[in-house]
């Protein structure tokens, strides 16, 4: 505890020197982060191979490209984001200077998850640096290789007092959370999210909670089922289903169910061959604990496709489940693994009802040719994001705020949204000491005559 206290204290003292205030400092730190990624690509890829069996190309596509893109965008746009933002004035302030001045919050605690350990830990850091904060970085202990490499590399490239890395497990995170921060940015599950918010509340510290949940995916029968299933297969089985925005389950009418199975099978084979176990681009479950958890979720449902597993390698084949009901185990928690249950509903009405009876998800997916139906799903459900006719790609659009609502989280980030999320939007009003006559109406005594104009 004493050691952690010192680390946080050092970050705070560094912040108080004011050296994050000039934009040049922030840009220089962001450029260094960019160099880290380009110089140490192999170390990053190795750590992800060891943690999650990720292929080098998969790492490039799903972790590195986004991270580099976010850094470049922040460097390019920082001056614009950090500039005063003039606002509309009212009659009383017509001659004044009235604007919003974004300012750094102070010391941000970033707690990362293990599924895309580099992206989910360092993309928030990009926002923290851009906004002029100090940040204490706590990578997930579950992706231990990535955490170790982060701990080793970040201090070589960044201001190490300002952006220290703390490794360790749950108890270290809990100890950190006892300390005072100016913002906590947490990525992980909703149960721990509540603990994080509770701990932060003791210091009145605001939080961003990037959580998960069960993201539903409705396939309308008026739809190109082959294309829909290919895109769903991609979104579901990438990183072995361990993606917060992966479609969790499919809802469709009974009449198209067998077509859906056929097309999912075709896509799985097209992407991962008929033996995904030996195929480079198919990953592994993070550890034995999660392997056992995911395997247990299959109980009580029928395997329609896949189902093979190998505990010694934490391997679970891309698996599609049928005969699933609301009572099935697989519908009781976020799957976060390569199982795709298909549940039949009578149509879009029942699908909407099904979605609304549950916690607000991170994403609602809908596949349809019918634009009206898509708009109806948008109007009648709520979720962090809605995607029609594709999966995951909203994460690539930095101008869209990325985050959840309700049980799937609070706050959002990416691009300018990260900057705004980790800044205080300070209201500034500068009046001149002249024109005092104009103010007489608001000073007592409040005679009717004064108000009569
Ligand atoms: P995890 O187990 O790595 O936990 C995340 C962090 O929480 C770790 O740093 C850990 O030290 C800390 N932690 C764990 N238990 C704690 C406790 N009791 N008290 C204090 N801190 C604790 O990650 P996870 O939760 O298994 O991650 C998977 C979840 O994250 C899924 O629900 C997924 O949907 C979600 N997720 C969300 C996003 C997003 O951007 N919304 C991104 C990735 C993952």
């Amino acid at each position: 505890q004493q050691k952690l206290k010192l680390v946080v204290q050092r970050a705070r003292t560094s912040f108080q020197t004011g050296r994050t205030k000039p934009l040049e400092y922030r840009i220089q730190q962001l450029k260094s982060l960019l160099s880290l990624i380009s110089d140490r690509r192999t170390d990053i890829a190795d750590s992800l191979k060891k943690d999650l069996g990720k292929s080098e190309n998969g790492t490039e596509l799903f972790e590195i490209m986004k991270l580099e893109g976010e850094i470049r965008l922040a460097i390019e746009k920082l001056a614009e984001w950090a500039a005063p933002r003039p606002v509309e004035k009212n009659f009383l302030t017509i001659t004044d200077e009235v604007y919003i001045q974004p300012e750094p919050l102070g010391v941000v605690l970033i707690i990362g998850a293990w599924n895309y350990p580099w992206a989910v830990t360092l993309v928030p850091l990009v926002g923290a640096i851009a906004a002029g904060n100090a940040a204490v970085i706590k990578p997930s202990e579950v992706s231990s290789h990535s955490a170790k490499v982060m701990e080793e590399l970040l201090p070589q490239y960044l201001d190490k007092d300002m952006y220290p890395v703390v490794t360790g497990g749950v108890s270290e995170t809990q100890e950190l959370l006892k300390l005072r921060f100016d913002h906590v940015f947490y990525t992980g599950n909703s149960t721990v999210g509540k603990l994080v918010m509770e701990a932060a509340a003791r210091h009145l510290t605001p939080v961003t909670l990037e959580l998960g949940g069960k993201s539903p995916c409705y396939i309308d029968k008026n739809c190109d089922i082959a294309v829909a299933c290919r895109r769903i297969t991609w979104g579901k089985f990438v990183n072995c289903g361990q993606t917060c925005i992966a479609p969790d389950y499919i809802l469709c009418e009974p009449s198209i169910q067998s077509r859906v199975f056929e097309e999912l099978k075709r896509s799985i084979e097209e992407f991962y061959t008929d033996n995904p176990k030996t195929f480079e681009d198919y990953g592994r479950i993070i550890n034995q604990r999660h392997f056992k958890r995911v395997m247990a979720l299959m109980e009580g449902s029928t395997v329609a496709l896949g189902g093979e597993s190998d505990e010694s390698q934490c391997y679970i084949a891309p698996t599609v489940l049928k005969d699933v009901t609301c009572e099935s185990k697989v519908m009781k928690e976020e799957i976060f693994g390569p199982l795709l249950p298909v549940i039949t509903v009578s149509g879009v009405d029942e699908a909407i009802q099904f979605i609304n009876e549950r916690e607000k998800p991170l994403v609602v997916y809908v596949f349809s040719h019918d634009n009206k139906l898509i708009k109806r799903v948008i109007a009648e459900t709520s979720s962090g994001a809605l995607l029609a006719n594709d999966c995951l790609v909203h994460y690539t659009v930095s101008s869209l705020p990325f985050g959840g609502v309700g049980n799937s989280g609070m706050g959002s980030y990416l691009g300018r949204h990260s900057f705004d999320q980790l800044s205080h939007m300070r209201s500034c009003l500068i009046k001149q000491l002249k024109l005092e006559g104009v103010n007489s109406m608001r000073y007592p005594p409040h005679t009717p005559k004064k108000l009569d104009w």
Side-chain angles (χ1 to χ4, degrees):
Q1 173 71 14
Q2 202 49 34
K3 207 177 129 218
L4 294 178
K5 237 184 188 160
L6 279 175
V7 170
V8 179
Q9 187 52 50
R10 204 174 307 130
R12 188 165 296 285
T13 314
S14 306
F15 175 74
Q16 282 163 347
T17 63
R19 67 177 181 272
T20 63
K21 288 276 172 85
L23 301 191
E24 298 74 45
Y25 169 90
R26 306 182 200 178
I27 286 173
Q28 182 258 322
Q29 294 295 312
L30 290 168
K31 284 186 174 162
S32 281
L33 193 55
L34 209 50
S35 309
L36 182 160
I37 295 159
S38 65
D39 299 351
R40 312 306 287 261
R41 255 187 165 66
T42 320
D43 299 296
I44 297 173
D46 284 351
S47 67
L48 287 165
K49 180 95 208 157
K50 286 182 189 145
D51 283 330
L52 287 140
K54 290 194 191 191
S55 70
E56 212 167 298
N57 291 338
T59 293
E60 194 63 32
L61 197 61
F62 290 99
E63 302 233 25
I64 303 298
M65 263 168 64
K66 182 66 186 167
L67 184 51
E68 286 185 332
E70 283 285 313
I71 302 173
R72 291 209 175 91
L73 182 71
I75 293 172
E76 184 196 327
K77 298 280 187 187
L78 186 56
E80 184 187 320
W81 295 345
R85 304 176 187 182
V87 294
E88 224 171 277
K89 299 184 233 184
N90 64 12
F91 179 69
L92 283 176
T93 54
I94 205 81
T95 59
D96 305 340
E97 225 181 300
V98 186
Y99 60 94
I100 297 166
Q101 178 61 62
E103 64 173 27
L105 289 167
V107 186
V108 177
L109 171 62
I110 298 171
I111 306 174
W114 52 264
N115 57 335
Y116 292 87
W118 287 83
V120 302
T121 315
L122 298 190
V123 172
L125 177 65
V126 174
I129 297 174
N133 298 294
V136 175
I137 302 137
K138 164 65 185 66
S140 170
E141 67 280 7
V142 180
S143 43
S144 57
H145 296 95
S146 299
K148 195 160 164 283
V149 177
M150 259 181 245
E151 184 186 28
E152 187 191 314
L153 296 187
L154 282 182
Q156 293 177 34
Y157 285 82
L158 297 183
D159 182 335
K160 59 181 189 304
D161 293 335
M162 196 74 81
Y163 309 111
V165 179
V166 172
T167 54
V170 171
S171 65
E172 279 78 3
T173 316
Q174 284 167 339
E175 288 305 318
L176 273 174
L177 283 166
K178 287 184 189 153
L179 304 173
R180 187 195 171 109
F181 290 92
D182 300 290
H183 193 99
V184 178
F185 194 112
Y186 168 81
T187 303
N189 66 71
S190 307
T191 310
V192 174
K194 289 175 191 160
L195 300 174
V196 169
M197 193 167 172
E198 210 177 302
R202 286 191 204 110
H203 298 286
L204 276 184
T205 297
V207 292
T208 303
L209 301 176
E210 294 288 340
L211 311 177
K214 292 179 86 62
S215 296
C217 179
Y218 177 63
I219 309 179
D220 179 24
K221 64 174 182 298
N222 172 15
C223 147
D224 184 331
I225 295 178
V227 172
C229 288
R230 186 180 298 112
R231 294 181 188 179
I232 293 167
T233 300
W234 175 69
K236 177 71 188 190
F237 297 110
V238 64
N239 202 24
C240 246
Q242 302 165 112
T243 304
C244 57
I245 47 177
D248 191 88
Y249 58 92
I250 288 176
L251 296 170
C252 70
E253 288 183 35
S255 62
I256 61 166
Q257 189 177 209
S258 55
R259 261 307 298 289
V260 167
F261 289 144
E262 252 169 59
E263 293 300 338
L264 288 172
K265 182 171 191 300
R266 199 190 309 275
S267 304
I268 292 169
E269 287 177 2
E270 184 188 322
F271 291 174
Y272 302 114
T273 74
D274 54 7
N275 188 10
K277 190 174 176 186
T278 54
F279 191 65
E280 204 209 349
D281 279 325
Y282 190 70
R284 292 293 181 264
I285 304 297
I286 183 78
N287 58 26
Q288 299 257 328
R289 178 168 70 84
H290 279 283
F291 174 87
K292 291 200 170 83
R293 182 188 63 76
V294 176
M295 288 302 291
L297 293 181
M298 283 199 240
E299 283 164 25
S301 306
T302 310
V303 171
L305 300 169
E308 303 83 10
S309 64
D310 178 347
E311 185 166 354
S312 70
Q313 282 191 27
C314 286
Y315 167 78
I316 303 177
T319 297
V320 178
L321 300 173
K322 62 177 181 179
D323 303 329
V324 180
T325 69
C326 305
E327 298 314 312
S328 306
K329 253 182 129 175
V330 74
M331 289 308 290
K332 297 290 182 202
E333 64 180 61
E334 179 182 4
I335 299 169
F336 223 55
L339 313 182
L340 182 54
V342 178
I343 297 183
T344 53
V345 287
S346 57
V348 70
D349 292 317
E350 198 184 335
I352 290 174
Q353 193 189 340
F354 193 96
I355 295 166
N356 289 340
E357 277 167 3
R358 291 169 170 73
E359 296 286 5
K360 290 183 181 181
L362 199 50
V363 193
V364 167
Y365 289 108
V366 50
F367 286 80
S368 178
H369 279 309
D370 179 355
N371 214 31
K372 274 209 195 103
L373 182 141
I374 293 170
K375 290 285 163 65
R376 203 185 139 199
V377 176
I378 295 180
E380 295 181 21
T381 63
S382 174
S383 58
L386 179 133
L387 245 72
N389 298 326
D390 207 348
C391 289
L392 316 185
V393 294
H394 61 303
Y395 180 66
T396 64
V397 186
S398 297
S399 42
L400 285 173
F402 184 86
V405 58
N407 209 56
S408 53
M410 63 181 70
S412 58
Y413 73 130
L414 292 188
R416 185 192 179 120
H417 307 290
S418 304
F419 179 92
D420 287 359
Q421 183 80 169
L422 296 174
S423 295
H424 168 56
M425 295 298 161
R426 191 179 199 185
S427 296
C428 296
L429 186 150
I430 305 174
K431 197 179 268 296
Q432 301 303 317
L433 282 161
K434 295 179 280 191
L435 296 174
E436 180 64 347
V438 178
N439 297 327
S440 66
M441 72 167 276
R442 63 177 147 107
Y443 299 143
H446 298 297
T447 57
K449 186 165 174 282
K450 276 193 187 171
L451 294 173
D452 187 25
W453 58 300

